[in-house]
Amino acid sequence: MRVEGLKNISISILSVALAVVAVFALKSGKDVTVKVSKNGTIELDAREGQSLTQLLDKGFEAVEANPEDSAETTARKLSDMRALTRTLKSHGYYALNDSDLVHEIRGLEKEDPLSAGLRDVLYDLEGPFSLPGTLRGADSRMWQAIADLYEGIKSEPHDDSQLFATLYTNFIQQETVFSPFKHEVTAEGVLLHDANGNEKPMVYTCPDSFLKPGITVLIKPTGGSSNIMRQFTVRQDPVFHACAARTPFEFLSGSEMKLGLNRVAFDQLFPPRTANAEQFQGRGTLSVIIYPRNTQPALFASSAE
């Protein structure tokens, strides 16, 4: 079954499903009757001298409910309209408000002219793809399209892709989607036993955390007197399994995040002379900003290393 172009979905183009019968009737001068019933046939009287538009107007008027109709008449017209809809759908014509149209569009080949038209609507950010909110709610599958764009650029280096050029520009300038997620988030700092007695301040995450080795974090104690954020490079500890928010989705959805601190790091953030009862027990609340991997935002922090 083929889905016609969206421009064809209108009362005038819905008529195409009946055109073969109606045009034959009008051209031949013969009267033709087609029935509308629950099994999906359509009842229209084509008379000599009638135009196709007049014929269709008459047919749609016959199944259009109005306030003066009795309950029985309304029910019959609705039934007739459903029959008309089924008949048209059997020929590949759909109303714009028909959810089955979406299902049929999914089956289109990407080379189909309608597919190209739909992509243009997306690229133009029009209709159902208009801003704001075009990609809000999209999941990680959308990344596959971006990755495919990158593969295309590698295979055809001179291919013109304004989207890739824009992404690359924002990447090297660390802007928009590539800017650090600068909102300070709250995390719990947990004192870890350092068997090696390391004298350098160390911050750890879980082995399966999205905070991979090499990622920079800026940290300060929440509510503390110091506004200085100290800079740490994240490491992973195979025995630390309490970091809670392990995925970016969990993190961005507000799930609690925990960071493991060795004694040196913990004492830098929570000096023993000012520690409260909770901090004496090896726990403290932190304000954290996460930076991209292997970046060094030294201007924003006093280095802890």
Side-chain angles (χ1 to χ4, degrees):
M1 182 182 294
R2 183 169 59 89
V3 180
E4 301 297 328
L6 292 180
K7 65 180 181 180
N8 295 341
I9 310 299
S10 65
I11 288 180
S12 61
I13 296 300
L14 288 174
S15 66
V16 177
L18 308 174
V20 175
V21 173
V23 172
F24 168 78
L26 298 175
K27 286 186 176 180
S28 66
K30 297 180 180 179
D31 296 344
V32 173
T33 296
V34 186
K35 281 192 173 181
V36 170
S37 64
K38 292 182 179 180
N39 63 8
T41 57
I42 304 170
E43 181 175 326
L44 292 174
D45 291 325
R47 303 300 176 187
E48 183 177 1
Q50 280 184 316
S51 69
L52 181 58
T53 299
Q54 291 172 326
L55 176 64
L56 290 167
D57 285 346
K58 181 179 178 182
F60 281 107
E61 181 181 351
V63 296
E64 184 177 356
N66 58 71
E68 292 76 25
D69 289 338
S70 65
E72 181 180 355
T73 301
T74 299
R76 177 182 57 78
K77 287 184 175 181
L78 288 174
S79 177
D80 288 347
M81 180 60 82
R82 286 193 292 269
L84 174 61
T85 301
R86 287 195 300 270
T87 300
L88 294 173
K89 286 168 65 172
S90 71
H91 290 276
Y93 296 91
Y94 293 81
L96 279 175
N97 61 355
D98 190 338
S99 59
D100 286 345
L101 176 60
V102 177
H103 173 74
E104 293 300 326
I105 288 176
R106 287 179 181 273
L108 288 173
E109 298 293 335
K110 66 178 182 179
E111 293 81 10
D112 191 287
L114 178 56
S115 298
L118 289 171
R119 283 194 295 273
D120 285 340
V121 176
L122 172 61
Y123 300 155
D124 293 336
L125 299 177
E126 294 179 345
F129 310 113
S130 59
L131 294 171
T134 302
L135 294 181
R136 296 176 191 175
D139 58 30
S140 58
R141 290 173 296 179
M142 187 59 65
W143 178 252
Q144 297 176 27
I146 303 296
D148 176 72
L149 176 65
Y150 176 60
E151 292 300 321
I153 293 296
K154 289 198 301 182
S155 61
E156 297 289 342
H158 301 294
D159 188 24
D160 180 22
S161 174
Q162 294 185 25
L163 175 56
F164 184 82
T166 301
L167 287 171
Y168 184 68
T169 300
N170 280 269
F171 166 70
I172 61 177
Q173 296 179 359
Q174 293 282 280
E175 294 179 347
T176 61
V177 296
F178 298 105
S179 63
F181 194 68
K182 293 183 179 178
H183 300 291
E184 290 185 25
V185 297
T186 300
E188 183 180 11
V190 180
L191 176 62
L192 299 182
H193 175 66
D194 191 348
N196 298 322
N198 201 313
E199 296 182 357
K200 295 183 63 177
M202 313 285 267
V203 173
Y204 298 98
T205 63
C206 299
D208 55 351
S209 171
F210 75 99
L211 295 179
K212 303 300 183 185
I215 288 178
T216 298
V217 290
L218 302 182
I219 304 176
K220 69 177 181 180
T222 300
S225 59
S226 175
N227 291 319
I228 296 177
M229 300 196 79
R230 294 183 175 274
Q231 176 179 320
F232 300 89
T233 300
V234 170
R235 294 169 172 79
Q236 291 182 332
D237 188 333
V239 299
F240 181 50
H241 292 283
C243 56
R246 287 176 164 82
T247 69
F249 181 79
E250 291 173 331
F251 167 71
L252 294 172
S253 298
S255 295
E256 181 185 38
M257 184 171 66
K258 294 184 179 181
L259 295 174
L261 310 173
N262 72 347
R263 171 54 71 180
V264 179
F266 194 90
D267 287 347
Q268 282 187 354
L269 294 166
F270 305 106
R273 66 181 183 278
T274 60
N276 58 31
E278 182 183 32
Q279 292 158 9
F280 271 122
Q281 296 175 8
R283 296 182 179 276
T285 306
L286 304 170
S287 292
V288 181
I289 296 177
I290 300 172
Y291 273 76
R293 190 174 184 176
N294 296 324
T295 56
Q296 298 294 324
L299 293 178
F300 297 89
S302 64
S303 176
E305 297 187 335

